[in-house]
Amino acid sequence: MPTSTATLPGPLRLGDLTVETPVVLAPMAGITNAAYRRLCAEHGAGLYVCEMITSRGLVEGDRHTLDMLVFDEAEQVRSVQLYGTDPTYVARATEILCAEHGVAHVDLNFGCPVPKVTRKGGGGALPWKRGLLADILEGAVEAAARYGVPVTMKTRLGLDRDHLTYLDAGRIAQETGVAAIALHGRTVAQAYSGQADWDAIGELASSVDIPVLGNGDIWEAADAVRMVEQTGAAGVVVGRGCLGRPWLFRDLAAAFAGEETATLPRLGEVSAMMRRHAELLSRHMGEERGCREFRKHVSWYLKGFAVGGDRRRALGLIDTLAGLDDLLADLDVDEPYPVSELGAPRGRQGSPRGRVVLPEGWLDDTDGRSTVLVEASDEATGG
């Protein structure tokens, strides 16, 4: 049934890059590799971001970092999220992505809530240092501009409710030439717990002239529509909601085209998707490693289906595609989709943290230009 498109945003414009459906796949460590990006892209037009890599790791040619920087042959727009705390490293890494890897979009991560990142001043901790944030953004934008590549950033509300940074981050992003800012409507202290604050997303959208993308608690396409209608956001970023459901991007594309739909695949269709996913992973990584990587997805794909514990455990131990085929063959292909799972949170949630782990004296100075941070080369998470 058609729905009104009067309040729905059109294509997302990031500099010279146009994203026909204003939906972005959030970078997720160990999830949004080339295989999963292709699987999601096959269902809807959007922007599909590589799992986060570190600027220092890229500059220094770290093998693990380079192994993550792999693209599928069908990937038309290469999009990468970059982590960094040093303006020089971030600028150089941005240039390497544009010049040597054909990247068409660079996103900077200032939203990661993981303690091992925030204790070094990275991720969601960094926007507290407004001057340092500006220097990093300026360097990246300048480096990317030489190649006509837009730079965006992702952030959170702030460290906690007493130390909010998102409005300053939006102002700085606009002043430094950032093409868009994505806001996860939670604080670092919340991590993935509680409810996302969509009102704050709306406040940011009304305070800046650059596009604002909303992130947090988008479990169905209808949630994305409600978010943009409620906040005035130019689009959405989807993370945990698509775990085990790459077809969600089909529903999102339809929703932003003004159509009301919900894909409800039977178990046979889900098992075919599982096989396709494992096959793509094997193509990129080799069969043994690809099957190992696939194991983590089993519980998400089968969430809510009446598949017994023994079968689930066996699927979580597969090491060959033939073994996967044998196990999938015995599933009830006609079992309907468990509609009780619609709208329910997926992936990690956890509990709020009593305090955010930060470098000593971090809160004493809001500029940060004199701060010396040792940038890690092996962080691989998101936010």
Side-chain angles (χ1 to χ4, degrees), residues 305-317:
F305 282 106
V307 178
D310 289 344
R311 181 55 49 90
R312 289 172 183 265
R313 281 189 290 274
L315 284 164
L317 294 172

Side-chain angles (χ1 to χ4, degrees), residues 96-150:
I96 291 171
L97 288 174
C98 298
E100 301 178 19
H101 296 276
V103 168
H105 164 244
V106 176
D107 184 55
L108 300 181
N109 181 298
F110 301 109
C112 180
V114 176
K116 72 174 183 177
V117 171
T118 61
R119 72 163 45 95
K120 298 170 185 172
L126 196 137
W128 182 256
K129 305 293 191 185
R130 278 71 162 179
L132 178 58
L133 176 65
D135 285 352
I136 291 174
L137 293 176
E138 283 176 358
V141 169
E142 182 180 350
R146 293 193 286 272
Y147 302 89
V149 172

Side-chain angles (χ1 to χ4, degrees), residues 63-240:
R63 186 70 258 166
H64 176 63
T65 301
L66 295 174
D67 285 345
M68 293 168 65
L69 198 58
V70 172
F71 301 96
D72 188 89
E73 65 270 13
E75 208 156 0
Q76 297 180 346
V77 177
R78 296 183 173 187
S79 173
V80 175
Q81 188 180 73
L82 198 59
Y83 163 88
T85 57
D86 183 303
T88 302
Y89 272 124
V90 173
R92 177 63 184 133
T94 300
E95 183 171 13
I96 291 171
L97 288 174
C98 298
E100 301 178 19
H101 296 276
V103 168
H105 164 244
V106 176
D107 184 55
L108 300 181
N109 181 298
F110 301 109
C112 180
V114 176
K116 72 174 183 177
V117 171
T118 61
R119 72 163 45 95
K120 298 170 185 172
L126 196 137
W128 182 256
K129 305 293 191 185
R130 278 71 162 179
L132 178 58
L133 176 65
D135 285 352
I136 291 174
L137 293 176
E138 283 176 358
V141 169
E142 182 180 350
R146 293 193 286 272
Y147 302 89
V149 172
V151 173
T152 61
M153 67 173 284
K154 183 179 179 184
T155 191
R156 284 178 172 249
L157 300 180
L159 300 173
D160 53 37
R161 283 291 173 178
D162 295 325
H163 301 88
L164 299 176
T165 56
Y166 67 102
L167 294 178
D168 281 344
R171 171 183 56 80
I172 294 166
Q174 180 167 298
E175 291 172 351
T176 54
V178 169
I181 179 170
L183 178 61
H184 185 152
R186 290 180 170 86
T187 63
V188 175
Q190 281 181 274
Y192 299 94
S193 68
Q195 217 171 9
D197 184 349
W198 288 6
D199 289 339
I201 295 170
E203 187 180 6
L204 179 60
S206 65
S207 71
V208 296
D209 296 326
I210 60 175
V212 171
L213 305 176
N215 178 217
D217 295 351
I218 297 176
W219 310 114
E220 308 297 338
D223 297 326
V225 171
R226 281 195 305 107
M227 176 185 275
V228 297
E229 289 179 338
Q230 178 180 323
T231 66
V236 297
V237 177
V238 178
R240 294 173 295 155

Side-chain angles (χ1 to χ4, degrees), residues 290-369:
C291 287
R292 286 203 311 269
E293 286 290 323
F294 177 73
R295 295 171 182 175
K296 73 185 75 168
H297 295 271
V298 169
S299 61
W300 294 322
Y301 276 115
L302 298 181
K303 189 170 168 45
F305 282 106
V307 178
D310 289 344
R311 181 55 49 90
R312 289 172 183 265
R313 281 189 290 274
L315 284 164
L317 294 172
I318 59 129
D319 51 17
T320 66
L321 292 175
L324 175 61
D325 289 339
D326 289 343
L327 291 166
L328 294 178
D330 290 336
L331 298 180
D332 178 3
V333 297
D334 293 321
E335 183 181 344
Y337 191 84
V339 293
S340 60
E341 295 296 333
L342 295 177
R346 305 175 75 84
R348 56 186 169 178
Q349 295 169 64
S351 303
R353 300 188 175 108
R355 69 182 183 88
V356 180
V357 183
L358 299 167
E360 186 176 355
W362 189 252
L363 298 178
D364 298 342
D365 163 36
T366 59
D367 180 71
R369 284 190 168 96

